[in-house]
């Protein structure tokens, strides 16, 4: 009664509640392990070469024979071994019995451990085949017993050098890759098993552990088969960490030999032999804190407890981050729809969200605003101001008109008469030609804006719209047609604007330069360019309406004034209309007799032959007067073109915005409702892809799993929350790990020999009660034992 009461009154360690919860997490995450492969739970991975004694160590920790054995590779799939201590007074029907339960056979308990061995073999062959191949798919096994300490172990395949049987030639590389995938995880404690009868310095287990854990901060070394080392040798230096230092230290154990196994020697007897061996050995008797399966079990339990306490906050943060991603993905897939009402609501929401997203993108109110490039309405504004307006400002209306072109146009407009001033007809012809050039860039501007609206329509899709590809195609077709229909009135308006400017040349515009001002500027330019000429004579005579050779002499008898009225080709702005012409040089006098003419016939020279005029005639060399007229024409062209250009720069963007952009914002939702929101179309429009339905189901399962995992982690946090805020971070001498505030203090020291004796007696006792005294009686590890 006293011993039992004392054990029951002893408060359990953190591991009594934390490690079982972590084992529960193992079961929760197992169905979605592939999707959550990046999330690693705290566990102990057992690594070693073939025949290193891994299986014997695991069976000794459990206290039962349950692992497959043989001369070839036995562990061909990772075995996740979850040991749970079940108090004998627990309210269950097992009455202290030990049992195992496989993850792939939930609810079925195996009380016969030989059946557990056969099930491990059968499950291995189901996945890895019978040809000695390996697989990285885990086998989950939970063992509940009052004789074990809480811990989670992963038994990994042993490293093999030479393929046997039908094994692939790269079997060693495959096994090493599988092992490294487990032990590289920061939450994994590495249990590196090495036989004492091999070269410890070149141990495969220690080499892989060093590669995955260069600092040795999460590696425990286990040296097996200490009883079969060569006589005169021992593993003292290795156990003390003098050869290959490990922060968590080493533990030496004695395994059952193959002969013991063949003779069905029990684990209890093997543990008794181990106890006696270490007690009688002259070297190992002084290293009792580093020798024996009980010491290894206690060390693993303590280290795993504290390791869990350290990693829980980071693990929960990682799971929360993953949870957010899953929730976002689940929202994208949406909920399954059953009734017409649900379909109608979803369709209306999609259409409304789409139109709101489009308007927000145009108006610059989008929540997903980019900081790297212009988007949405900002791109349209850039097209208007930086492309369209600037391009028109850079155009000179006289660039494609040479002086000869202008001179030819003026002479063609004067017909038979001489050019005395700037006629209006050639100016109008030339300015209309330049105004017509504004049509193409205006239509290009419209096309650019149309393209931007198409891009925005593809970028602003609602989240749920991705579920329904047919609905997306229908909306794209309606949107495309709606935008094309909006382009037509905008295009007609732009064409009308250009035609309006071409149809009426408003020379009365207050901003127009005018003829008088143009002539004044032209004369100033001419005076500055003709430095070696009498620059006063020509402009003055032009202003007075007199030819340079006329001066102020009165008209002769052969000259007469010519009327200037009635000819539209001779109208001008602010220039006096004086026309004069000389008598025709071919006009003959009526006087003279026929006889006098005949008298001179014989003296006439030979006939003068004129050259045939060429098919294309060009004006002769330019005169000073014509140079002034050309300059005036250019000034007038530029002046009026600037007026028209400013009008077009202002009105074309307005037309595009009114007929296309704003019209789309106003009417798009109505068009969608009119075309798509029909009950007869709901089922067809909202038809999902089969793959998406499968992904939604998988994501939903993932969400439920993560929700359950996070809730379970909350239980862990409630257990390991700091109990004493005054505790500081230090080093726990029992495990060598960093001491955590709120973590249980190092276990009190007890006499190892007493614990050892009671441990051995538990196996000689028929009831085999409390293999390691559970967690009530603690065995200390000295400060040098890490």
């Amino acid at each position: 009664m006293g011993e039992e009461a004392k054990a029951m009154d002893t408060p359990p360690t953190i591991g009594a509640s934390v490690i079982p919860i972590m084992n529960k997490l193992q079961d929760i995450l197992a169905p979605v392990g592939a999707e959550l492969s990046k999330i690693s739970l705290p566990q102990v991975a057992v690594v070693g070469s073939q025949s290193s004694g891994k299986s014997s160590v695991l069976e000794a920790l459990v206290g039962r024979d349950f692992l497959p054995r043989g001369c070839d590779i036995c562990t061909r799939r990772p075995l996740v071994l979850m040991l749970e201590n079940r108090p004998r007074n627990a309210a269950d029907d097992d009455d202290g019995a030990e049992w195992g339960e496989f993850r792939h056979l939930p609810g079925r308990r195996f009380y016969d451990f030989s059946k557990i061995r056969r099930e491990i073999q059968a499950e291995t062959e189901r996945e890895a085949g019978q040809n000695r191949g390996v697989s990285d798919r885990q086998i989950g096994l939970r063992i509940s017993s009052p004789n074990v300490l809480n811990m989670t172990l992963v038994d990994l395949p042993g490293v093999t050098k030479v393929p046997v049987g039908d094994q692939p030639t790269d079997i060693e590389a495959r096994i090493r890759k599988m092992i490294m995938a487990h032990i590289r995880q920061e939450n994994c404690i590495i249990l590196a098993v090495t036989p004492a009868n091999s070269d410890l310095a070149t141990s495969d287990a220690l080499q892989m552990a060093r590669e995955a854990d260069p600092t040795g901060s999460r590696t425990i070394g286990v040296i097996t088969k200490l009883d079969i080392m060569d006589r005169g040798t021992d593993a003292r230096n290795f156990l003390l960490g003098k050869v290959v230092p490990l922060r968590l230290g080493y533990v030496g154990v004695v395994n059952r030999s193959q002969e013991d196994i063949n003779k069905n020697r029990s684990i209890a007897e093997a543990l008794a032999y181990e106890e006696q061996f270490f007690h009688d050995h002259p070297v190992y008797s002084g290293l009792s804190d580093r020798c024996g399966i009980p010491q290894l079990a206690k060390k693993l339990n303590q280290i795993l407890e504290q390791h869990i306490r350290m990693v829980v906050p980071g693990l929960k943060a990682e799971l929360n981050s993953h949870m957010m991603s899953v929730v976002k993905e689940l929202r994208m897939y949406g909920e399954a729809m059953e009734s017409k009402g649900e379909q109608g609501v979803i369709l209306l929401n999609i259409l409304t969200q789409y139109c709101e997203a489009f308007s927000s993108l145009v108006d610059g109110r989008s929540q997903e605003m980019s900081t790297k490039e212009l988007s949405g309405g900002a791109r349209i504004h850039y097209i208007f101001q930086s492309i369209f307006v600037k391009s028109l400002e850079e155009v000179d209306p006289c660039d494609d008109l040479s002086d000869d072109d202008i001179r030819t146009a003026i002479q063609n407009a004067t017909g038979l008469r001489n050019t005395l001033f700037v006629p209006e007809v050639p100016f109008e012809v030339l300015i209309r030609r330049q105004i017509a050039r504004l049509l193409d860039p205006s239509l290009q501007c419209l096309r650019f804006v149309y393209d931007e609206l198409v891009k925005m329509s593809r970028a602003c899709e609602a989240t749920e719209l991705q579920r329904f590809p047919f609905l997306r195609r229908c909306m794209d077709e309606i949107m495309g047609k709606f935008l094309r229909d909006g382009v037509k009135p905008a295009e007609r308006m732009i064409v009308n604007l250009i035609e309006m400017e071409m149809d009426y040349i408003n020379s009365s515009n207050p901003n127009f330069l005018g003829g008088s001002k143009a002539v004044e500027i032209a004369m100033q330019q001419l005076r500055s360019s003709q430095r070696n000429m009498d620059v006063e004579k020509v402009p003055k005579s032009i202003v007075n309406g007199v030819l340079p050779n006329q001066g102020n002499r009165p008209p002769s008898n052969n000259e007469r004034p010519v009327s200037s009225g009635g000819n539209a080709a001779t109208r001008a702005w602010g220039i006096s209309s004086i026309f004069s012409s000389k008598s025709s040089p071919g006009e003959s006098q009526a006087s003279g007799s026929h006889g006098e003419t005949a008298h001179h016939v014989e003296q006439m020279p030979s006939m003068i032959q004129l050259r045939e005029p060429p098919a294309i005639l060009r004006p002769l060399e330019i005169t000073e007067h014509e140079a002034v007229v050309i300059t005036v024409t250019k000034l007038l062209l530029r002046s009026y073109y600037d007026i028209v250009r400013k009008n077009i720069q202002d009105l074309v963007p307005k037309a595009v915005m009114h007929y296309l952009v704003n019209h789309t914002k106003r009417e798009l939702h109505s068009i969608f409702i009119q075309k798509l929101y029909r009950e007869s179309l709901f089922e067809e429009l909202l038809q999902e892809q089969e793959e998406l339905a499968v992904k939604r189901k998988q994501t939903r399962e993932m969400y439920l799993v993560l929700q359950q995992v996070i809730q379970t982690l909350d239980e862990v946090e409630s257990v390991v929350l700091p109990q004493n805020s005054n505790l500081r971070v230090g080093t726990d001498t029992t495990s060598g790990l960093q001491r955590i505030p709120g973590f249980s203090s190092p276990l009190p020291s007890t006499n190892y020999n007493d614990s050892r004796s009671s441990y051995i007696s538990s196996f000689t006792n028929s009831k085999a009660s409390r293999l390691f005294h559970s967690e009530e009686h603690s065995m200390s590890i000295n400060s040098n034992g890490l």
Side-chain angles (χ1 to χ4, degrees):
M1 176 72 180
E3 185 71 16
E4 288 286 321
K6 183 178 180 181
M8 291 174 59
D9 293 339
T10 303
T13 64
I14 290 179
S17 54
V18 171
I19 295 179
I21 295 176
M22 300 308 293
N23 290 341
K24 181 180 177 182
L25 290 181
Q26 293 274 1
D27 292 335
I28 295 173
L29 291 175
V32 291
E35 290 80 1
L36 296 176
S37 58
K38 295 182 178 179
I39 297 177
S40 63
L41 297 178
Q43 57 192 8
V44 178
V46 185
V47 181
S49 60
Q50 240 181 304
S51 303
S52 61
K54 292 191 302 89
S55 298
S56 295
V57 171
L58 291 174
E59 288 182 335
L61 291 171
V62 176
R64 302 294 295 267
D65 290 307
F66 68 97
L67 293 175
R69 291 186 176 275
C71 57
D72 295 328
I73 180 173
C74 300
T75 305
R76 298 192 287 132
R77 289 178 60 182
L79 175 65
V80 180
L81 186 60
M82 294 166 283
L83 304 184
E84 290 186 359
N85 176 267
R86 189 181 74 256
R88 291 185 180 276
N89 60 342
D92 55 28
D93 300 331
D94 293 324
D95 192 22
E98 299 173 309
W99 50 265
E101 180 182 358
F102 287 95
R103 185 181 293 155
H104 62 276
L105 297 174
R108 180 180 173 184
R109 294 181 177 180
F110 290 79
Y111 293 92
D112 186 348
F113 278 73
S114 63
K115 292 183 179 180
I116 292 179
R117 178 188 296 114
R118 289 194 293 269
E119 180 60 31
I120 292 174
Q121 291 174 331
E123 182 64 17
T124 298
E125 291 177 356
R126 275 194 291 267
E127 181 64 31
Q130 299 181 357
N131 63 345
R132 300 298 177 184
V134 296
S135 170
D136 59 356
R137 294 196 61 180
Q138 296 178 344
I139 299 176
L141 174 61
R142 179 193 312 277
I143 292 181
S144 177
S145 169
N147 304 320
V148 297
L149 292 181
N150 293 303
M151 67 184 73
T152 304
L153 304 165
V154 181
D155 184 19
L156 296 170
V159 179
T160 182
K161 298 292 184 180
V162 181
V164 295
D166 297 331
Q167 287 181 345
T169 56
D170 61 343
I171 185 68
E172 180 183 3
R174 291 188 183 185
I175 293 176
R176 285 183 177 273
K177 181 179 179 181
M178 184 191 308
I179 293 174
M180 295 304 297
H182 282 80
I183 65 177
R184 275 203 174 101
Q185 299 174 7
E186 290 297 324
N187 291 341
C188 179
I189 300 295
I190 305 171
L191 192 66
V193 179
T194 303
N197 59 348
S198 65
D199 188 357
L200 300 179
T202 59
S203 165
D204 289 328
L206 290 176
Q207 286 180 353
M208 288 188 292
R210 180 178 294 177
E211 182 180 348
D213 178 30
T215 62
S217 59
R218 52 186 180 89
T219 301
I220 306 173
V222 177
I223 303 177
T224 62
K225 305 181 182 181
L226 290 176
D227 57 330
I228 61 174
M229 291 184 71
D230 293 339
R231 291 187 177 183
T233 62
D234 59 67
R236 175 184 176 86
N237 290 336
F238 281 94
L239 292 175
L240 294 176
K242 295 181 178 180
V243 180
V244 182
L246 294 176
R247 182 179 173 188
L248 301 183
Y250 291 83
V251 177
V253 298
V254 174
N255 303 86
R256 287 187 300 169
S257 65
Q258 188 62 43
E259 182 182 3
D260 295 334
I261 296 172
N262 295 337
K263 292 181 178 180
N264 294 323
R265 187 181 182 187
S266 68
I267 293 179
E269 293 174 342
L271 291 173
Y273 169 76
E274 180 191 56
E275 161 65 18
Q276 191 64 40
F277 173 81
F278 288 133
H279 181 270
D280 297 339
H281 198 281
V283 174
Y284 301 136
S285 60
L287 300 173
S288 58
D289 58 324
R290 303 170 189 268
C291 298
I293 289 293
Q295 186 65 24
L296 175 62
K298 195 64 182 179
K299 190 180 186 73
L300 286 175
N301 175 259
Q302 291 176 340
I303 289 173
L304 189 57
E305 288 172 8
Q306 192 165 346
H307 187 64
I308 290 172
R309 175 64 182 90
M310 288 168 53
V311 303
V312 161
L315 181 60
K316 187 173 181 181
E318 185 179 2
L319 287 168
N320 281 328
S321 175
H322 203 83
M323 182 72 157
M324 293 176 62
S325 301
V326 170
V327 169
K328 185 177 181 180
E329 185 178 359
L330 195 59
R331 286 176 180 169
M332 182 180 67
Y333 296 144
E335 295 292 337
M337 299 164 295
E338 298 180 359
S339 65
K340 290 285 186 180
E342 291 177 350
Q343 292 176 341
V345 170
I346 289 179
L347 179 59
L348 185 60
N349 286 339
I350 290 175
L351 299 179
T352 302
Q353 291 174 11
Y354 181 93
C355 296
E356 289 177 352
F358 181 84
S359 298
S360 297
L361 202 55
V362 172
D363 296 337
R365 294 181 286 105
S366 175
Q367 298 298 321
E368 299 179 358
M369 185 179 300
S370 172
T371 58
K372 304 297 183 183
E373 61 177 353
L374 296 180
S375 62
R379 292 180 64 91
I380 295 178
H381 182 267
Y382 183 88
I383 290 172
F384 286 153
Q385 301 302 320
S386 299
I387 297 179
F388 179 65
V389 171
K390 286 190 176 181
S391 296
L392 295 190
E393 288 177 349
E394 293 171 356
V395 174
D396 186 348
C398 299
D399 277 348
D400 61 340
L401 290 175
S402 64
D403 289 351
D404 286 343
D405 293 336
I406 298 175
R407 181 182 172 205
T408 301
I410 293 174
Q411 288 191 3
N412 286 334
T414 58
L416 296 174
R417 296 170 180 79
N418 235 356
T419 305
L420 302 179
F421 48 85
V422 180
E424 183 177 349
V425 172
F427 164 76
E428 292 186 354
V429 170
L430 294 175
I431 195 61
R432 286 193 179 96
R433 184 186 303 175
Q434 300 307 312
I435 294 174
R437 293 177 61 193
L438 297 174
L439 178 61
D440 286 340
S442 300
L443 295 179
Q444 287 178 10
C445 177
L446 172 62
R447 178 59 55 181
F448 290 162
V449 174
Y450 166 80
D451 292 339
E452 290 300 323
L453 293 178
V454 171
K455 292 178 183 177
M456 281 188 275
S457 70
R458 294 170 181 169
C460 68
E461 62 181 25
T463 303
E464 289 189 347
L465 188 56
Q466 300 176 10
R467 299 170 54 190
F468 312 110
F470 183 72
L471 174 61
R472 176 69 202 185
R473 289 196 298 270
C474 292
M475 292 180 66
D476 285 343
E477 292 175 2
I478 294 173
M479 185 68 175
K481 184 178 184 303
F482 185 75
L483 291 176
R484 289 192 296 272
D485 292 343
V487 166
K488 294 176 182 178
E491 186 174 322
R492 286 196 298 270
M493 185 63 188
I494 291 173
V495 172
N496 289 339
L497 289 174
I498 301 299
E499 290 180 350
M500 287 164 52
E501 295 290 351
M502 294 172 61
D503 281 350
Y504 179 59
I505 308 301
N506 184 17
S507 58
S508 300
N509 190 295
N511 296 322
F512 183 53
L513 184 62
S516 300
K517 184 66 174 177
V519 170
E520 180 182 349
I521 296 174
M523 288 191 300
Q524 292 176 359
Q525 293 178 357
L526 185 63
R527 281 195 295 268
S528 62
S529 62
Q530 295 179 343
R531 297 177 181 177
N532 299 326
M533 299 176 60
D534 186 4
V535 295
E536 296 293 337
K537 184 177 180 181
V538 175
K540 186 175 181 180
S541 61
I542 292 177
V543 173
N544 293 332
V546 182
L547 292 175
N549 294 332
Q550 281 183 314
N552 293 324
R553 66 180 178 85
S556 63
N557 294 332
N558 294 332
E559 295 175 346
R560 57 183 180 164
V562 181
S563 174
S564 60
N567 192 343
T570 62
R571 286 180 292 167
W573 297 279
I575 304 178
S576 58
S577 302
I578 300 176
F579 294 84
S580 62
S581 62
K582 299 180 181 180
S583 59
S584 175
E587 184 178 330
S588 60
Q589 296 180 357
S591 61
S593 61
H594 179 269
E596 184 179 358
T597 302
H599 179 71
H600 294 283
V601 168
E602 296 180 358
Q603 300 180 3
M604 290 183 61
S606 61
M607 183 170 36
I608 298 174
Q609 294 290 335
L610 299 179
R611 291 179 303 165
E612 290 289 336
I616 299 177
L617 293 176
R618 300 288 186 187
L620 299 177
E621 185 177 351
I622 189 171
T623 64
E624 293 179 359
H625 172 66
E626 289 174 332
V628 174
V629 173
I630 291 171
T631 303
V632 170
T633 303
K634 286 184 176 181
L635 291 171
L636 296 176
L637 288 175
R638 289 192 176 98
S639 175
Y640 197 81
Y641 178 83
D642 284 343
I643 296 172
V644 176
R645 174 181 56 77
K646 291 177 181 178
N647 292 339
I648 297 302
Q649 287 175 339
D650 181 59
L651 293 176
V652 167
K654 289 181 178 178
V656 174
M657 289 297 299
H658 175 73
Y659 288 102
L660 182 59
V661 179
N662 291 334
H663 175 69
T664 302
K665 288 169 54 181
R666 288 191 299 264
E667 304 297 332
L668 182 59
H669 190 263
S670 300
I671 292 295
F672 278 149
I673 297 297
Q674 178 184 350
K675 299 289 185 182
L676 298 177
Y677 195 74
R678 302 175 186 176
E679 188 172 337
S680 59
L681 298 177
F682 286 173
E683 186 172 352
E684 183 180 9
L685 292 174
L686 300 180
Q687 186 174 3
E688 292 181 315
Q689 292 180 338
E690 185 176 352
E691 297 177 358
L692 189 140
V694 173
K695 288 182 179 179
R696 179 173 57 238
K697 182 180 179 181
Q698 293 174 346
T699 307
R700 179 70 178 174
E701 293 174 355
M702 179 80 67
Y703 170 77
L704 295 176
V705 167
L706 286 172
Q707 195 175 42
Q708 190 176 359
V709 168
I710 292 174
Q711 291 174 355
T712 306
L713 276 181
D714 289 339
E715 298 178 26
V716 178
E717 283 191 326
S718 66
V719 174
V720 299
L721 278 176
Q723 302 295 326
N724 187 352
S725 59
N726 296 326
L727 290 178
R728 296 184 178 181
V729 176
T731 299
D732 191 341
T733 58
T734 61
S735 63
L737 292 176
Q738 191 178 39
R739 185 189 299 275
I740 305 299
F743 186 68
S744 60
S745 57
L747 297 172
S749 298
T750 60
N751 187 288
Y752 178 73
N753 293 327
D754 293 343
S755 299
R756 186 167 50 191
S757 300
S758 63
Y759 174 72
I760 296 172
S761 65
S762 68
F763 281 98
T764 57
N765 189 313
S766 59
K767 294 184 178 180
S769 63
R770 302 189 185 278
L771 174 61
F772 304 131
H773 282 248
S774 184
E775 294 170 356
E776 287 77 31
H777 286 284
S778 305
M779 291 177 292
S780 66
I781 306 173
N782 66 20
S783 59
N784 296 325
L786 300 177

